[in-house]
Amino acid sequence: MRFLVVGGGGREHAIADRLRRDAPDAEILAAPGNPGMAGIAECVPIDALDLEALAALAEERLIDLAVVGPEVPLAAGIVDLFQARGLPIFGPLRAAARLESSKAFAKRLMREVGVPTAGFGIFTEAGQAGAHIEDLAPPIVVKASGLAAGKGVIICGTAAEASRTVGEILDGGRFGDAGREVVIEEYLEGEELSVFFITDGERAIPLVSARDHKRLLEGDRGPNTGGMGAFAPVAEVESGLVDRVQRSVAEPVLEALAASGSPYRGFLYVGLVMTADGPKVLEFNCRLGDPEAQVVLPLTRAALVEPMLAIARGEGLSDWRPPAPDAFALVTVLASGGYPDTYRTGMEVLIPAGLESDSLRIYHAGTASRDGRLVTAGGRVLGVTGIGNSLEQARTLSQTAAEAIQFEGKHWRRDIGS
Ligand code: AMP
Ligand code: GLY
């Protein structure tokens, strides 16, 4: 078997790690990969957005399965291109990936099939948006409809701020093309939960659910980030909740997409808020979460290769279902000082020898090799996942390692999972 993992962050490292465990004899290529993945995969310096070059690589190296980590190549149509060339790939087609790449599309679809979500309006014209905002009570959530690397959501404390923000997006080009449409939403109060499914377009099979910590600072303060840490499984997820999300969210959405001629295959990420009125959908993503993948994949107690291959071939999942997790995992993200705004790169990263084990995984998110040294190359540098018999044990493992790893400007949250 020969696999290709597209991407080079912590999620893609966790995917490669999972494939390596599922298929110890397989050859794994990663494009572009990262220095951490280089230990288990052959890294090929092709950007995750260079779709032509990726397809040529898959063709040349006779790849049996390509797995795409990030949303941007999915939204750009990597699956469409591979399928047109007869190359096996796991992930949604571009039209189906609109569930993430167009928040306006996702919201309209949710309204059509009756999925509980925040009340909303969709606008392309600032004057109309302003009139709508006057009727709303703050906080008011303003979102660029398109992909904005996790920065496209602004929570506004006043109507004036919301109107100004809409103007910046629609008229000021703040998010470029991603901001040609805005979604204005009701603010949802409650704990967030990320529920992951693997789907063949019809059936949605739940994987482990996780909780991400998006705020930069301890106590859930500071700006939103891509995620500063996550843990799984989430204790308050009564067993019935995931089944309910499967039946009342995932399946109706999949059915509607299939009926419209865009069947959705791949991983489906349902972001929920547990409001006083019950769970409501915050967003869909067309991929696994990052850092959530760094706890979900180590806890998944079944090989993912078989279902991924089946889905890539256009076959069904039949009765595939992984057993419930029998451990806890917690990932602490080590970020560069300054993240999520500007940060320095090129700081040497020192990881003590022997730190990694079956219960302590180090996933590279933003690192590079320079003159034989490991250096920082991104805002989120490493994800340190502890795996234990309790959440407490997983946290202790993760934090002890987070403490031991050194680089200048290292910033991390000590309150993940508490
Ligand atoms: P999104 O890109 O839609 O996932 O939004 C990023 C983050 O913004 C979410 O994880 C939430 O923390 C926050 N957020 C987005 N929409 C809302 C909302 N309607 N109410 C409250 N918080 C929100
Ligand atoms: N951690 C949030 C995301 O992957 O979208």
Side-chain angles (χ1 to χ4, degrees):
M1 281 283 181
R2 199 175 285 149
F3 304 125
L4 169 63
V5 178
V6 175
R11 165 184 45 215
E12 290 75 39
H13 191 174
I15 291 171
D17 189 36
R18 179 76 241 185
L19 291 173
R20 171 55 65 230
R21 283 156 184 262
D22 289 354
D25 300 326
E27 206 178 313
I28 304 177
L29 280 73
N34 64 41
M37 294 166 83
I40 49 174
E42 176 190 345
C43 295
V44 184
I46 298 175
D47 190 85
L49 264 176
D50 192 345
L51 307 190
E52 281 293 337
L54 292 168
L57 175 72
E59 222 148 42
E60 197 180 302
R61 300 292 295 270
L62 305 173
I63 295 296
D64 294 291
L65 176 68
V67 183
V68 186
E71 64 278 14
V72 181
L74 292 167
I78 188 172
V79 175
D80 308 56
L81 179 70
F82 272 55
Q83 284 189 2
R85 307 248 176 111
L87 298 165
I89 186 163
F90 175 83
L93 290 160
R94 177 188 175 134
R98 278 183 298 168
L99 266 193
E100 175 167 3
S101 66
S102 168
K103 291 185 197 289
F105 174 83
K107 294 296 279 192
R108 290 192 179 105
L109 188 63
M110 283 191 267
R111 181 157 59 197
E112 188 186 310
V113 302
V115 167
T117 186
F120 67 99
I122 297 168
F123 301 92
T124 53
E125 208 268 303
Q128 283 171 9
H132 174 78
I133 286 168
E134 280 173 22
D135 299 332
L136 303 177
I140 299 165
V141 182
V142 177
K143 301 183 171 185
S145 180
L147 294 181
K151 297 201 161 85
V153 175
I154 300 106
I155 295 167
C156 303
T158 62
E161 187 192 347
S163 289
R164 195 170 56 241
T165 303
V166 167
E168 285 167 13
I169 298 174
L170 287 178
D171 299 332
R174 176 160 165 191
F175 297 107
D177 274 356
R180 281 148 70 118
E181 245 179 338
V182 296
V183 178
I184 299 177
E185 251 180 42
E186 159 200 18
Y187 182 80
L188 298 179
E189 185 87 57
E191 294 271 24
E192 290 184 36
L193 179 71
S194 309
V195 182
F196 298 97
F197 296 94
I198 183 169
T199 172
D200 57 12
E202 249 178 72
R203 282 174 214 80
I205 308 300
L207 302 173
V208 184
S209 299
R211 175 158 297 146
D212 184 15
H213 296 254
K214 287 214 172 71
R215 301 294 204 99
L216 178 68
L217 304 174
E218 283 165 22
D220 286 326
R221 291 172 304 111
N224 260 334
T225 69
M228 291 299 294
F231 66 94
V234 181
E236 350 46 297
V237 178
E238 344 89 78
S239 57
L241 176 69
V242 173
D243 285 348
R244 217 154 86 223
V245 175
Q246 178 181 344
R247 270 180 283 110
S248 63
V249 177
E251 287 172 358
V253 164
L254 292 174
E255 199 180 319
L257 286 170
S260 73
S262 304
Y264 184 105
R265 288 189 258 277
F267 290 123
L268 176 64
Y269 169 144
V270 182
L272 296 171
V273 178
M274 314 306 286
T275 73
D277 299 333
K280 292 193 179 177
V281 174
L282 197 56
E283 57 163 349
F284 293 112
N285 292 317
C286 62
R287 45 156 178 98
L288 290 179
D290 197 2
E292 293 99 314
Q294 301 173 48
V295 291
V296 167
L297 293 175
L299 291 180
T300 301
R301 291 172 61 211
L304 282 169
V305 170
E306 287 309 321
M308 283 177 165
L309 279 168
I311 290 167
R313 290 189 197 110
E315 294 163 8
L317 280 175
S318 62
D319 54 3
W320 186 86
R321 195 175 250 269
D326 61 354
F328 291 81
L330 185 144
V331 60
T332 303
V333 169
L334 307 185
S336 297
Y339 172 79
D341 298 323
T342 50
Y343 48 81
R344 286 170 67 195
T345 58
M347 321 302 297
E348 185 169 11
V349 180
L350 297 171
I351 303 177
L355 200 58
E356 267 194 279
S357 66
D358 279 344
S359 56
L360 196 282
R361 324 290 309 157
I362 299 173
Y363 295 117
H364 289 232
T367 67
S369 280
R370 190 190 289 165
D371 306 326
R373 291 179 170 191
L374 189 67
V375 298
T376 65
R380 293 189 291 180
V381 178
L382 296 168
V384 185
T385 299
I387 300 153
N389 293 322
S390 65
L391 191 58
E392 219 18 80
Q393 192 186 14
R395 183 194 297 123
T396 303
L397 284 162
S398 173
Q399 294 191 345
T400 305
E403 194 82 66
I405 295 169
Q406 300 296 331
F407 61 87
E408 204 182 306
K410 177 180 75 171
H411 167 74
W412 56 288
R413 280 181 61 167
R414 287 162 204 268
D415 65 342
I416 305 302
S418 60

